[in-house]
Amino acid sequence: MVRSWNAKHKGVYVAITESVTPNPYLIDPMRDITVNPDLMLTKINPSLMTREISRLTEQQSGAIMRITSLNLLNPDNEALPHEQVALMQFEKGISEKWQHMRDKGKSIFFYMAPLKTDDSCLQCHGSQGYRTGDIRGGISIALPLQAPFPWKGITLIHAVLLVSGLGGILYFGTALNRAHESLKHQATIDALTGIFNRRSFSEKIAVEFANCRRNNRPLSLIMCDVDWFKKFNDTYGHNAGDDCLVRIAAVMKQSLRRPTDFCARYGGEEFIMVLPDTSENGAMHVAERIRQNVLNLDIDHETSPVKKVSVSLGVVTGDPALTSDYEQLTIQSDKALYQAKALGRNRVAGFSRETTTH
């Protein structure tokens, strides 16, 4: 910090005294200034300022700060043996060095960090071949220890902190993972029926359309609507309506026997299924199975012509290589569904074709 402050102001001037003399290693035509016959100033650079402060610190507390290097400009800054070891390690990429040691019979704590060359250093050290960013030395501090350094206590504290930290990371990591899975579930699953929602359908069909186009295989869609559902809600109430949708969704999911098949709630009482690599006949067969399985639920619907809850289904099969996009298939499946409803409901209709089942 002292060095940075001094460098920021490009050195500071102090009065020349018996204890402060001009720095012979500072190359600056404005190093010394005469203010008047009784006052002469000399510029103090970052290194000298650090050394002067270190002298005061050593006198008051015994702590010693030093700036040193393996490539010396000032012989007074020659590195001590343990500093030389640290400096060599800095050149290999070590970011700091600290140790508990004894010096002249005293117990001390030694710490050292590398000094990197910045633009302010080049005025004195540029002639040594340094460039901005180079490690040109290090700054160390030696703190006297009045009592044995509590290594065991510090080690225990660090161990406790480490275990606590790892435990916290594990706990919060698990919690975050659960939260992520919960959000993912909410974003892709219909809250009422437990099957995939319309957003999931949009993602799934885009992938399957691309796969079928790449492999030159057919792709079939089935659009499904619960017959006379508004009348069912009006007659039995919305709670019964919700339960009805849940049971129908479960039947549809069970009716799709391949892991690649996919069903989703499209909106309200509408559902949609994606059947990759499925021919028109295969899709019609699946749709008919769903229609019959819904009837087998035997859910009363007094206002329906068949007196039970039924569904209408529209089927379309497309060749992705000849179809512009999957949205076109979705529109065609909806038109096929409209055709099934127009023919009396409780039936399956193919796009531009129809199959009637009672």
Side-chain angles (χ1 to χ4, degrees), residues 161-272:
L161 291 175
L162 176 62
V163 172
S164 300
L166 290 175
I169 290 172
L170 181 61
Y171 173 79
F172 287 109
T174 302
L176 285 173
N177 185 60
R178 286 198 300 265
H180 176 265
E181 290 300 320
S182 176
L183 289 174
K184 182 179 178 181
H185 185 273
Q186 294 175 32
T188 59
I189 302 298
D190 178 62
L192 175 64
T193 62
I195 64 174
F196 290 105
N197 58 19
R198 186 165 179 169
R199 175 181 175 180
S200 295
F201 160 75
S202 298
E203 294 174 353
K204 179 71 173 179
I205 192 174
V207 172
E208 295 302 338
F209 186 86
N211 288 340
C212 289
R213 170 175 282 180
R214 182 170 55 253
N215 298 317
N216 195 28
R217 305 298 297 172
L219 177 66
S220 294
L221 299 186
I222 302 174
M223 184 79 79
C224 173
D225 184 78
V226 182
D227 296 331
W228 311 111
F229 188 69
K230 184 179 183 304
K231 291 183 178 181
F232 183 90
N233 270 339
D234 292 342
T235 303
Y236 299 98
H238 289 282
N239 288 338
D242 288 348
D243 181 67
C244 176
L245 293 177
V246 170
R247 295 177 66 184
I248 290 175
V251 161
M252 285 194 303
K253 189 173 182 179
Q254 294 166 5
S255 299
L256 301 179
R257 297 172 180 174
R258 300 183 309 174
T260 54
D261 296 339
F262 177 89
C263 66
R265 187 180 181 190
Y266 197 68
E269 66 271 24
E270 283 191 328
F271 300 87
I272 193 163

Side-chain angles (χ1 to χ4, degrees), residues 266-316:
Y266 197 68
E269 66 271 24
E270 283 191 328
F271 300 87
I272 193 163
M273 285 136 278
V274 180
L275 284 65
D277 194 13
T278 302
S279 66
E280 181 180 16
N281 287 338
M284 295 290 285
H285 179 74
V286 172
E288 174 57 25
R289 182 166 65 236
I290 292 171
R291 188 197 68 81
Q292 188 60 54
N293 287 343
V294 170
L295 281 178
N296 291 341
L297 289 173
D298 201 25
I299 302 174
D300 290 337
H301 190 348
E302 291 300 323
T303 55
S304 167
V306 295
K307 303 302 180 182
K308 293 194 295 186
V309 169
S310 62
V311 292
S312 299
L313 304 102
V315 177
V316 63

Side-chain angles (χ1 to χ4, degrees), residues 29-195:
M30 297 295 293
R31 185 192 67 181
D32 302 324
I33 299 176
T34 300
V35 179
N36 57 54
D38 298 321
L39 180 60
M40 293 185 63
L41 303 179
T42 187
K43 181 180 284 189
I44 302 294
N45 67 349
S47 178
L48 182 56
M49 187 172 184
T50 302
R51 190 160 61 248
E52 291 296 325
I53 292 176
S54 176
R55 289 174 184 170
L56 292 175
T57 304
E58 184 177 4
Q59 292 172 3
Q60 295 178 6
S61 65
I64 302 173
M65 290 188 296
R66 284 171 45 84
I67 292 179
T68 185
S69 173
L70 295 176
N71 184 15
L72 290 172
L73 188 63
N74 182 351
D76 292 340
N77 294 331
E78 183 177 3
L80 299 173
H82 54 281
E83 292 174 329
Q84 292 178 10
V85 172
L87 290 169
M88 288 187 287
Q89 291 178 338
F90 294 157
E91 292 182 351
K92 295 179 180 180
I94 300 299
S95 60
E96 60 182 354
K97 173 74 174 180
W98 58 271
Q99 67 184 90
H100 174 229
M101 57 184 291
R102 296 190 68 81
D103 182 47
K104 299 178 182 179
K106 296 181 179 180
S107 181
I108 65 171
F109 176 75
F110 168 76
Y111 177 86
M112 192 170 188
L115 281 178
K116 290 187 177 181
T117 305
D118 56 32
D119 293 340
S120 65
C121 303
L122 297 178
Q123 184 176 5
C124 295
H125 299 281
S127 61
Q128 294 178 282
Y130 289 115
R131 294 178 298 178
T132 300
D134 290 345
I135 294 177
R136 65 173 183 83
I139 182 167
S140 70
I141 183 169
L143 300 174
L145 300 177
Q146 302 301 324
F149 200 70
W151 292 106
K152 292 183 179 179
I154 288 181
T155 302
L156 179 61
I157 291 172
H158 278 77
V160 171
L161 291 175
L162 176 62
V163 172
S164 300
L166 290 175
I169 290 172
L170 181 61
Y171 173 79
F172 287 109
T174 302
L176 285 173
N177 185 60
R178 286 198 300 265
H180 176 265
E181 290 300 320
S182 176
L183 289 174
K184 182 179 178 181
H185 185 273
Q186 294 175 32
T188 59
I189 302 298
D190 178 62
L192 175 64
T193 62
I195 64 174

